[in-house]
Amino acid sequence: LALLVFRAAGVRWLVLETGLGGRWDCTNQLIADRAERLPVEGDAELSWPASVLAAGAPAAAVGICRVGMDHMNVLGGTLAAIAAEKAGILKRGVSAFSVPQPVDADSVLRATAARRGALLAFPQLDDADFCRALALAAADGPAASTGARAAPGALVLPRWLQSAHQQHNLLLAISLVRSALSQAGDAHGEGSATRAGGLWTQPTVDAALRAGLATIWPGRLETLSLGGGGGGGGGGGRGDH
């Protein structure tokens, strides 16, 4: 129903999180295979009807975060089984990106992508746009306001961006947006000679990165301090998010 509402409303860009797993999830209706299915002996994959939105959408990309042991009662009791469920969102001919995975999950994702013809990539932390994001985060972050100094060549990052998994998630988001803009630019005849079809220019990159880095979800990776002392009441102060 939500997908029909989005189509009726003429939504241009949609970020949709798979509800649970991927293989049986309704988000399979969002992106259809973009190439003719090649029969594979013994392949019993679920076959969905025609996509609710359209196989010919000008831009589409799939992202897979790190696979862990969650929802095991539904997805399975091993990393390989869970990865197989999550890999169900991979589509033939559609760009897909993943963060580094445990060995068992990695092999399943790569094998599924190869079998389906999905364009799966594992972006690296030396990605130029990711490095630019870290520099912007350091320039606009707590060190800029507190005067904190880092060792030469080191970056003082916001607390929420100091952990490896958050850095990989940021890299994943950058890869998805860049891929979608590149596809959209090509679909509108802007060509791919310029960065991401002309839509991913440096001013656009910096504006998008700053907007993303400044996003705050109250209660999400947020540090709160309870007011104390004196008479009463407590105030709340927000630290790094």
Side-chain angles (χ1 to χ4, degrees), residues 7 22 47 50 59 71 119 129 138 162 174 189 218 236:
R7 183 175 67 176
S47 178
H71 305 292
L119 309 178
D129 292 318
Q162 292 174 7
I174 290 172

Side-chain angles (χ1 to χ4, degrees), residues 79 101-108:
L79 285 175
Q101 300 288 351
V103 174
D104 289 350
D106 182 278
S107 60
V108 170

Side-chain angles (χ1 to χ4, degrees), residues 9-92:
V11 172
R12 294 184 60 197
W13 295 97
L14 176 63
V15 179
L16 190 63
E17 181 181 4
T18 298
L20 181 63
R23 187 166 67 101
W24 295 92
D25 195 82
C26 63
T27 45
N28 279 285
Q29 284 291 78
L30 186 66
I31 306 172
D33 289 342
R34 288 188 165 176
E36 182 180 354
R37 179 184 172 85
L38 300 177
V40 178
E41 184 177 356
D43 185 4
E45 294 175 359
L46 178 66
S47 178
W48 287 90
S51 169
V52 170
L53 295 188
V62 172
I64 299 179
C65 296
R66 188 170 177 86
V67 175
M69 300 296 288
D70 57 354
H71 305 292
M72 291 180 288
N73 60 318
V74 176
L75 302 181
T78 66
L79 285 175
I82 295 172
E85 294 295 325
K86 292 182 178 290
I89 199 61
L90 295 173
K91 295 290 176 283
R92 206 161 276 101

Side-chain angles (χ1 to χ4, degrees), residues 93 98 130:
S98 171
F130 171 73

Side-chain angles (χ1 to χ4, degrees), residues 111 116 211:
R116 290 192 167 191

Side-chain angles (χ1 to χ4, degrees), residues 171-187:
L171 175 58
L172 182 63
I174 290 172
S175 301
L176 289 169
V177 173
R178 185 171 55 203
S179 175
L181 287 179
S182 177
Q183 295 170 56
D186 293 344

